[in-house]
Amino acid sequence: MSNQSHKTFFREKFLYRIKKFLFADHQIFVSHLGICSALGVTNKLENAWIMTLGLCFIASMSVGCVSLLRKHIPDSMRLVLQMVIICTFCLLTEQILKAFLYEKYKRLSIYINLIVTNCILLGRCESYAMYHPPLSSMWDGLRAGIQYGSTLLIVAFIRELFGNGSVLNHPILPETWYATITHPSRIQNIGALLHPAGAFFVLATVMMFANRDS
């Protein structure tokens, strides 16, 4: 096999692994789970970044702890204890956010608290962590967090770019390009994308393209 063939093979293998990591069993794209916060925190990319980091931390640590304690959790109490463990890390994340980013805490705290009952996270605890060792479970939780967070970032990027004409609060186009009373034919932001209905539309479009091969 030539060097060029080797490079092509490894590049395709790498891209396949990335695609599998990000999209295989994606709970939003495949099962349509966890959509509520995907719509609530994606009006700005900055909010989506913070939510993604918090979710990855909560998911990996919670799933890892459930796995660590799996042999000591009685079947009749497993769901309650899983929620207690998730709640502990949600409260920790909330307090860290409150201490260092208070303005973001006021906007995102309600969604961080909702992670306690996030069906994706509870599903990883129940279906994976209860049957696998801690390190493997932490990786599975981190993967679920990255998958979910990537969706938040994609939706937030589209909504902020076309809804506000900015990315991370930085304007992309000069103000002279926008429509005015004297030049109504120039470009305009799609303000509807910043509303809940716009979030549904963007998320549905992303899901359509993600599932186009299935």
Side-chain angles (χ1 to χ4, degrees):
M1 187 179 291
S2 65
N3 290 335
Q4 185 65 29
S5 299
H6 272 293
K7 291 180 181 179
T8 302
F9 172 77
F10 285 114
R11 182 172 64 249
E12 291 179 353
K13 187 175 181 180
F14 175 75
L15 293 175
Y16 169 78
R17 289 182 178 273
I18 293 294
K19 184 178 180 180
K20 183 178 179 181
F21 178 83
L22 290 176
F23 297 108
D25 301 324
H26 196 297
Q27 297 302 304
I28 293 183
F29 295 160
V30 177
S31 304
H32 304 166
L33 299 176
I35 292 178
C36 52
S37 58
L39 302 177
V41 301
T42 55
N43 58 331
K44 287 191 175 182
L45 190 58
E46 187 178 11
N47 294 341
W49 266 115
I50 296 172
M51 190 69 176
T52 298
L53 294 175
L55 183 62
C56 288
F57 171 74
I58 294 169
S60 60
M61 297 303 295
S62 299
V63 176
C65 282
V66 170
S67 174
L68 190 65
L69 300 173
R70 69 188 186 280
K71 295 181 180 179
H72 306 285
I73 298 177
D75 288 341
S76 60
M77 296 290 293
R78 66 180 188 275
L79 182 59
V80 175
L81 292 176
Q82 288 169 9
M83 293 182 68
V84 169
I85 292 171
I86 297 171
C87 182
T88 301
F89 287 103
C90 284
L91 289 174
L92 178 60
T93 302
E94 185 181 13
Q95 292 305 308
I96 293 173
L97 191 61
K98 185 177 181 180
F100 296 101
L101 295 169
Y102 185 70
E103 291 300 320
K104 295 299 178 184
Y105 159 79
K106 290 193 293 184
R107 295 182 183 179
L108 299 178
S109 60
I110 184 174
Y111 298 105
I112 293 176
N113 290 327
L114 283 175
I115 294 176
V116 176
T117 56
N118 187 287
C119 42
I120 296 175
L121 191 48
L122 288 171
R124 301 323 299 164
C125 289
E126 181 65 22
S127 65
Y128 195 91
M130 293 297 291
Y131 305 99
H132 294 83
L135 289 179
S136 175
S137 298
M138 289 182 69
W139 173 249
D140 182 75
L142 179 61
R143 175 173 172 265
I146 292 175
Q147 283 185 336
Y148 192 81
S150 64
T151 306
L152 297 182
L153 294 173
I154 292 170
V155 174
F157 175 80
I158 295 173
R159 292 182 68 192
E160 184 176 359
L161 176 62
F162 293 102
N164 273 334
S166 62
V167 173
L168 292 173
N169 298 322
H170 296 292
I172 299 300
L173 300 177
E175 291 187 5
T176 54
W177 289 24
Y178 286 97
T180 61
I181 296 177
T182 55
H183 298 89
S185 60
R186 294 178 181 174
I187 63 172
Q188 300 183 41
N189 291 326
I190 310 173
L193 293 182
L194 300 178
H195 298 295
F200 269 109
F201 175 78
V202 173
L203 181 59
T205 304
V206 173
M207 290 169 64
M208 178 187 69
F209 281 101
N211 293 318
R212 68 185 186 278
D213 295 329
S214 59

